[in-house]
């Protein structure tokens, strides 16, 4: 250490070497948080680090230098009398600073968080003064408070402890010392500690909170007596959520937020709809009374506690649009959907920082801790292409999850999780958590205000963990005392939150005695008149960015839409795509692809899938639409075919040609290589598509089977969202599908699962077989006046298959064909068998037919499996008058793929002379064989059975017979006309 620097510091400081313990503690504090020490000390420590930087030593030697300095100074003190603080006093001062720090770190563990008083706070030794060498004799001694944001720089120890307890162990337990960002940490410290001795709310604000608690309790009591036994998933026990959400809306207005999108599950949803969003009591009551004319219902609908709502509320002349997202019973599944919707709304506004639209998610304790989609959503929060400027999270912490046994102590819920807090998963984001006693309404509202300000300051997620209880159990038909006897004895004897707060305001002289009961009576009287007492809204007003979905309600999937693009326009946009920056060096494989695409543009080479896809995107962008593509390897393309992002091999810089089609809109093309998530990302993209109908929103699986990880989102949102809630969206899903001998997880996109979900013409399931078909399909998804999910079983080996190519004329003159007749020049009168199929197997059949010189079998592709193109199918069928055998051929096993989902549709137009047969792999528990030789043998058998009848597969399955009694191939068999 530089002796001159040491001497200079000792000479100018009131603290001498004998105070080494104090200096060491202060240095430790500096290392943990540089801004938490005084400026003079920070400057000194900073310079120490500069001096030591080249040596790269740990701070241990620096501490030793302090000790050495202390020893010499102590000797000097003995010679010349006391100078500065004694060694004992320095030890005590250091102990006080450590104690203050531990209150910041661990005070939340002993905070007064349980409204029922059942939890025994753990003993935290670090918070015991004795642990730090402090005893009763030190309580009246005065110490420096260090970085504590108190009104005085020096306080007695008992005052310091009292201050820290009020800041960190009252009804708010602040958990934030895990944050590594010093600015964020100091911001929270300053806000918490500087508010200890301040009045947070005035009398009018307190009366308003009581009114909101009255509304929260009032609607629950009203519904409980009027609709006895009906499930409503009561808010009771978490009543403070209503004033908390009201505070969030007010804060949004003050921060110039235009919209707030809320996602929440069942609990308290009806209460929030009525008392926060202002839903009409009459409308709510009609849902309880099931007051509908069944003859007028066009959709299947959903239960009342799943429904969403939108309205506008005005505070201080600022209008905020509120949306409560529709939510299924899969509690946390709505999380990424909300964030996707928010991101789309922010993008429409050109808002990169998340200042205009606020996402709010309300969780349950057990679901937040237990459901994997929570982690996936949290990981998206700061990811490129997915960030929304931070989410405000509330956890309605019942303390017991669903119906498990009562916890031994707060945070000890070993039957529902392994972590101490249900919120611990949020620490992966270094998000601050404010644990708060749900029965202290002012604390809940203040924590909400703090959370909102933190979010807007740092554009980061923040959590308010409202520790509460369920007064009625999981639902109103539940008997929670069976599994939580002690808890529900305590709940029975616990006054409601409204009663507690009313008594508090009476004691403070803010309201008169029994005023709380008057509020409640007035609220109930208003409900009797179907009127709101404490919540008035503007109704649904919307704003300049509100989407009019009515324009998409008249379109039909079967209408002919012109998706062709003139050749000269194709060449123009292609020129922009292939115009690379100067001195931009591509990898030789990527360069070869670009060179080939230039040839395709000129008409000198047949076009492949990558070219057709890019031209589809480019022309849509040129038309004024936007394209958003997401997947785990979407920029390059899993199968090295796309290359929408090009990389300079010298500098590593990237270039996205599609961004330069319409340069005035930087959002016109977005491609995201996502984290390894299916459920979270699919939910996000679904939410995005529901908010922006003019963006072609695409999610691409690396392999089709990977969509399994998002099955809940497919079932509960994508497939059924319109039938349940009337929610339109045009989410497009690319699911690579095809049997190339790559095993069970890399063959099938689970086509049968999508077809099982198909009804009411609410979803499109397609299997395009050529680049031109893909081109027209992608353009069709945006151009037609219809918005519905599009499932594309996209190719793998076909991306480079020499037979699966197209021409520029196919793009400039054609359209998407639902059914493609045999392209060969066959004698139609000679055809005896028509083989219908989809996807890659067509090319295997075509090649085998040519090799065997078979001329009495026609091969027809059905490119859209749902809605089934019955008229086009029948037209092709009638074009072969002498065909007696109609075969469905698929690569998938018999119990999978399309066969069982479409055989009744294939059957309908058949005449008496037709026999309906099928050629498939044998039924199997897995999607595909893992052994390559077995795959080849099965594939050959499928082709043989489809073309000629073939030989049976004796390894698996049974031999099938045709109607003439002649043995057919393993899976070629006739079906009943009534199947």
């Amino acid at each position: 250490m530089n002796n001159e620097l040491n001497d200079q510091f000792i000479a100018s400081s009131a603290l001498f070497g004998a105070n080494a313990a104090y200096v060491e503690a202060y240095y430790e504090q500096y290392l943990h948080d540089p801004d938490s020490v005084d400026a003079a000390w920070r400057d000194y420590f900073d310079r120490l680090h500069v001096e030591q930087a080249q040596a790269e030593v740990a701070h241990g030697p620096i501490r030793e230098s302090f000790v050495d300095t202390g020893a010499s100074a102590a000797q000097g003190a003995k010679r010349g009398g006391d100078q500065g603080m004694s060694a004992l006093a320095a030890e005590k001062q250091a102990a006080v600073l450590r104690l203050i720090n531990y209150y910041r770190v661990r005070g939340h563990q002993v905070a007064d968080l349980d409204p029922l008083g059942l939890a025994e706070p753990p003993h935290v030794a670090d918070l015991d003064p004795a642990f730090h060498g402090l005893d009763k004799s030190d309580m009246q001694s005065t110490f420096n408070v260090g970085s504590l944001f108190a009104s005085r720089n020096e306080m007695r120890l008992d005052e310091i402890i009292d201050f820290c307890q009020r800041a960190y162990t009252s009804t708010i337990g602040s958990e934030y010392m895990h944050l590594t960002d010093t600015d964020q940490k100091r911001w929270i410290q300053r806000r918490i500690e500087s508010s200890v001795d301040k009045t947070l709310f005035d009398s009018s604000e307190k009366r308003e909170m009581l009114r909101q608690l009255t509304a929260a309790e009032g609607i629950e009591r009203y519904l409980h007596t009027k609709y006895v036994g009906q499930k409503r998933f009561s808010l009771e026990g978490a009543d403070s959520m209503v004033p908390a959400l009201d505070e969030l809306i007010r804060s949004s207005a003050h921060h110039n937020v235009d919209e707030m999108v809320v996602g929440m599950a069942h609990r308290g949803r009806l209460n929030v709809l009525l008392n926060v969003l202002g839903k009409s009591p009459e409308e709510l009551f009609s849902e309880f009374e099931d007051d509908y004319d069944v003859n007028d219902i066009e959709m299947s609908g959903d239960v009342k506690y799943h429904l969403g709502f939108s309205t506008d509320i005005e505070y201080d002349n600022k209008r905020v649009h509120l949306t409560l997202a529709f939510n299924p019973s899969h509690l946390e599944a709505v999380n990424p959907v909300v964030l996707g919707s928010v991101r789309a709304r922010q993008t429409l506004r050109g808002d990169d920082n998340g200042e205009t639209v606020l996402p709010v998610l309300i969780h349950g304790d057990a679901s937040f801790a237990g459901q994997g989609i929570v982690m996936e959503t949290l990981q998206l929060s700061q990811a490129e292409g997915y960030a929304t400027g931070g989410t405000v999270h509330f956890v309605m912490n019942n303390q017991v999850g669903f119906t498990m046994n009562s916890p031994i102590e707060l945070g000890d819920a070993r039957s529902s999780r392994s972590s101490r807090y249900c919120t611990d998963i949020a620490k992966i984001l270094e998000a601050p958590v404010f644990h708060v006693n749900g029965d202290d309404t002012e604390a809940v509202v203040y924590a909400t205000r703090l959370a909102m300000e933190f979010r807007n300051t740092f554009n980061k997620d923040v959590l308010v963990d409202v520790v509460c209880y369920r007064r009625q159990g999981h639902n109103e038909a539940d008997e929670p005392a069976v599994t939580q006897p002690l808890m529900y004895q305590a709940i029975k004897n616990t006054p409601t939150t409204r009663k507690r707060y009313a008594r508090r305001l009476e004691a403070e002289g803010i309201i008169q005695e029994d005023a709380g009961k008057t509020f409640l009576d007035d609220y109930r009287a208003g409900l009797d008149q179907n009127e709101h007492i404490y919540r008035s809204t503007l109704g649904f007003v919307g704003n300049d960015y509100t989407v009019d979905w009515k324009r998409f309600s008249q379109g039909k999937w079967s209408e002919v839409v012109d998706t062709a693009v003139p050749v000269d326009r194709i060449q123009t946009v292609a020129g922009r795509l292939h115009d690379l920056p100067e001195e931009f060096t591509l990898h030789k494989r990527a360069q070869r692809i670009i060179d080939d695409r230039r040839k395709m543009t000129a008409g000198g080479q047949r076009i492949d899938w990558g070219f057709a896809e890019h031209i589809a995107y480019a022309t849509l962008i040129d038309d004024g639409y936007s394209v958003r593509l997401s997947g785990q390897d979407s920029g390059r393309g899993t199968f090295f075919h796309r290359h929408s992002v090009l990389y300079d091999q010298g500098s590593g810089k990237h270039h996205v040609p599609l961004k330069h089609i319409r340069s005035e809109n930087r959002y016109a093309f977005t491609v995201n290589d996502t984290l390894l998530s299916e459920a979270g990302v699919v939910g996000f993209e679904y939410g995005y598509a529901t908010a922006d109908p003019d963006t072609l929103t695409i999610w691409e699986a690396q392999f089709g089977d990977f969509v399994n990880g998002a099955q809940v989102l497919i079932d509960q949102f994508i497939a059924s969202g319109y039938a349940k809630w009337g929610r339109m969206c045009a989410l497009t899903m690319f699911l690579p599908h095809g049997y190339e001998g790559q095993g069970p997880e890399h063959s099938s996109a689970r086509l049968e699962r999508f077809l099982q979900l198909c009804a009411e013409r609410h979803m499109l399931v397609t299997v395009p077989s050529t680049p031109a078909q893909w081109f027209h399909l992608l353009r069709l998804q945006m151009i037609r006046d219809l918005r519905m999910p599009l499932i594309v079983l996209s190719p793998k080996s076909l991306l480079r298959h020499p037979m699966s190519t197209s021409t520029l004329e196919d793009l400039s003159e054609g359209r998407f064909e639902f059914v493609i007749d045999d392209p060969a020049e066959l004698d139609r009168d000679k055809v005896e068998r028509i083989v219908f199929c989809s996807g890659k197997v067509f090319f295997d059949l075509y090649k085998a037919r040519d090799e065997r010189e078979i001329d009495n079998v026609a091969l027809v592709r059905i490119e859209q499996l749902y809605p089934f193109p019955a008229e086009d199918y029948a037209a092709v069928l009638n074009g072969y008058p002498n065909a007696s055998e109609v075969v469905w051929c698929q690569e998938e096993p018999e119990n999978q793929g399309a066969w069982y989902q479409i055989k009744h549709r294939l059957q309908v137009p058949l005449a008496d002379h037709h026999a309906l047969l099928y050629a498939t792999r044998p039924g199997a528990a897995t999607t595909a064989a893992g052994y390559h030789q077995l795959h080849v043998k099965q594939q050959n058998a499928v082709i043989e059975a489809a073309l000629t009848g073939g030989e049976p597969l004796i390894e698996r399955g049974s031999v099938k017979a045709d109607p003439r009694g002649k043995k057919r191939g393993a899976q070629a068999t006739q079906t009943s006309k009534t199947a």
Side-chain angles (χ1 to χ4, degrees), residues 547-600:
V547 176
D548 179 13
W549 288 90
K550 292 180 181 178
R551 59 191 170 109
F552 303 113
S553 62
Q554 303 302 317
K556 296 181 179 179
W557 69 268
S558 56
E559 66 181 320
V560 176
V561 178
D562 183 12
T563 54
V565 177
V567 171
D568 58 348
R569 186 178 169 212
I570 291 174
Q571 292 173 333
T572 297
V573 297
R576 294 183 215 165
L577 293 178
H578 306 145
D579 184 16
L580 303 181
E582 293 184 7
E583 299 181 358
F584 196 89
T585 305
L586 293 174
H587 188 279
K588 61 181 180 180
R589 290 184 62 187
Q591 184 64 58
R592 189 180 309 122
I593 291 172
I594 298 300
D595 291 343
D596 286 344
R597 288 179 183 174
R598 290 185 175 125
K599 295 176 184 177
M600 296 172 196

Side-chain angles (χ1 to χ4, degrees), residues 74 167 193 203 231 275 277 314 316 376 393 448 541 548 586-587 590 661 666 773 891 960:
E193 294 169 5
S203 297
K231 290 193 294 185
N275 291 315
L277 279 78
E314 189 171 79
D316 299 332
E376 293 188 33
H393 300 263
T448 301
V541 178
D548 179 13
L586 293 174
H587 188 279
I661 297 296
R666 56 198 174 97
Q773 282 285 88
E891 296 182 294
K960 306 293 183 180

Side-chain angles (χ1 to χ4, degrees), residues 787-860:
R787 291 295 180 265
M788 59 198 307
L790 170 62
I791 312 302
V792 183
L793 276 76
S794 60
K796 297 184 292 182
S797 62
L798 290 188
L799 295 171
R800 295 176 184 81
H801 199 292
M803 295 175 64
S804 183
T805 58
S806 301
T807 66
L808 286 177
E809 288 69 28
D810 294 330
L811 275 57
S812 64
E813 299 175 1
R815 65 179 180 87
F816 181 73
E817 302 289 346
F818 301 120
V819 178
I820 301 178
D821 202 350
D822 198 317
E825 296 182 0
L826 298 174
D827 183 346
R828 289 178 173 268
D829 291 334
K830 191 176 180 180
V831 171
E832 299 177 354
R833 170 180 287 202
I834 312 172
V835 178
F836 289 90
C837 62
S838 292
K840 181 185 76 70
V841 71
F842 166 80
F843 298 98
D844 296 336
L845 289 166
Y846 199 96
K847 180 181 178 183
R849 186 183 66 176
D850 278 2
E851 290 174 348
R852 303 182 191 191
E853 300 182 348
I854 298 172
D855 60 2
N856 65 341
V857 176
L859 304 177
V860 182

Side-chain angles (χ1 to χ4, degrees), residues 332-387:
E332 301 290 336
V334 77
N335 296 353
V337 175
V338 166
L339 298 192
S341 176
V342 168
R343 175 72 183 215
R345 296 165 195 253
Q346 292 171 346
T347 300
L348 288 172
R349 290 168 167 78
D351 176 9
D352 291 328
N353 297 320
E355 296 173 350
T356 59
V357 188
L358 171 70
V360 179
L361 294 175
I362 304 174
H363 315 270
D365 53 321
S367 59
F368 191 77
Q371 296 189 14
I373 199 168
V374 174
M375 188 281 292
E376 293 188 33
T377 305
L378 290 173
Q379 287 285 19
L380 288 173
S381 69
Q382 299 294 320
E384 185 176 358
Y386 293 88

